[in-house]
Amino acid sequence: MYRSMNKQKLSIIIPMYNGANTIRACLDSIFYQYGSNEYEIIIVNDGSTDLGAKIVSGYQISHPNLILINQPNSGVSVARNRGIEEAGGEYITFVDCDDIVGVSYSDVRKCMATKKCLHAKSGVMNVSVLKTSQIPNAIPNLERQYFTRMLASADKFTADVAFAGKFTINYQEYALKQHSYDKEQVFYANQSEKHKILIDANNRENANFALYRKSFLDKHNLRFLANMPLDEDMLFCILSVIYAGCVVTVPESTYLYLRNENSASCFAEHARATKAYAYANLQRFPIILKELEKYPQYAKSYKWFLNEFASQGMKIDIHKNIELASLYYDYPSTICAGCDADTCKKCLYFPVVKEKINTAIKKYAPIKASR
């Protein structure tokens, strides 16, 4: 088993399952970044059955800082956790094997407008085509400071977490979604600042395009939860903000996130998707609320997440699906979604809500982080 002996600035963790068609583009975009040859790049091959591992082995010839770890198929959470355990960097970041780092918003918009996307080119360097069957494309330029900007901001403020931005391209809808920052902003562990960045963490939907201080993750034993097939990285991201003493946002560092029809978070059938996300909410929200309860100063955030939890339950159509109807009763009451109490403890319904949260944790809680 490989363990890094030298302390490095950054460990880039890439879980890979059957990524032969995309891993070249991912790695090329990473190696095009300033400082990439000084970072530790860990690919955890999660039982792939294609040629992805062979492709990575080819890259290792010219990139000795690229580490390949093979393991039986265990899921993305276990793969990421394995990468965290093996990482020797001061900071950790995650990249999916079908994504690209270092794109500009103007280039992505231009590509979307002309329907020529996802084939990245940087000067004379050609990045492999990610998806030719549905969206032949050409992103003309990659910028080269995706990692260095995040590292600079994290060091400047001794941050536990640094958030960069992303663009999401949805293959089914041919839609572009942006989540980025227009300035460097620091959030400390006080009520108003923490609430703002917690809401932002919830909207990020993903644990990628961020840096996490490795010692911070170890201190709080923060890992991805196994047996949580959806939103496990969203939960990881939110918990990191709850625990963090300082979070900084980083403008201009941009990540291209590709949602394709084969990803775990995309479903062809609406009913199946509704059920899957209902289960995910019943796993995620109770854990978040249980952690927020430990911090009385975050009562406003507790109330916000409880209202969001209740609102998700209201979206379940209890008249058409018996199984979903049974799930509905494990959500907080719809009273919570419209409650105007300043804090939940002032509400007469609070004891019932607490019991529902505890029930959801016992009933739906995923297995603890697997290392």
Side-chain angles (χ1 to χ4, degrees), residues 309-323:
F309 191 18
S311 298
Q312 294 295 328
M314 291 174 64
K315 294 178 182 178
I316 295 176
D317 188 347
I318 63 175
H319 302 294
K320 295 181 180 179
N321 188 309
I322 295 176
E323 186 174 6

Side-chain angles (χ1 to χ4, degrees), residues 155-301:
D155 280 343
K156 180 179 177 181
F157 298 102
T158 319
D160 295 316
V161 181
F163 282 160
K166 74 164 180 176
F167 308 116
T168 301
I169 292 181
N170 189 308
Y171 284 117
Q172 284 79 23
E173 301 172 3
Y174 203 80
L176 175 65
K177 180 179 179 182
Q178 179 185 15
H179 188 117
S180 58
Y181 306 99
D182 57 5
K183 62 181 178 180
E184 185 180 66
Q185 192 169 359
V186 187
F187 299 86
Y188 293 104
N190 60 59
Q191 180 178 353
S192 60
E193 291 185 5
K194 184 58 69 82
H195 182 69
K196 292 177 184 176
I197 199 65
L198 271 172
I199 305 309
D200 179 73
N202 184 71
N203 293 333
R204 287 171 64 85
E205 302 177 337
N206 197 292
N208 297 349
F209 57 104
L211 292 187
Y212 306 89
R213 191 180 294 273
K214 174 67 157 54
S215 59
F216 161 75
L217 297 181
D218 291 341
K219 175 183 177 180
H220 295 279
N221 196 28
L222 184 53
R223 298 295 188 269
F224 295 88
L225 296 183
N227 280 26
M228 189 173 176
L230 281 174
D231 292 344
E232 78 291 335
D233 53 349
M234 194 172 176
L235 174 62
F236 179 95
C237 182
I238 292 170
L239 290 178
S240 75
V241 172
I242 292 174
Y243 303 145
C246 174
V247 181
V248 61
T249 60
V250 185
E252 297 184 31
S253 280
T254 49
Y255 180 108
L256 185 61
Y257 175 55
L258 310 177
R259 294 193 64 166
N260 62 72
E261 69 278 5
N262 297 317
S263 71
S265 58
C266 294
F267 300 90
E269 301 174 19
H270 177 73
R272 188 159 60 98
T274 301
K275 176 184 172 182
Y277 279 106
Y279 270 101
N281 288 331
L282 285 164
Q283 291 181 312
R284 178 168 62 96
F285 279 102
I287 294 172
I288 294 169
L289 291 167
K290 201 73 175 175
E291 290 305 303
L292 281 172
E293 188 183 350
K294 299 175 183 178
Y295 302 88
Q297 68 270 34
Y298 300 156
K300 181 179 179 181
S301 298

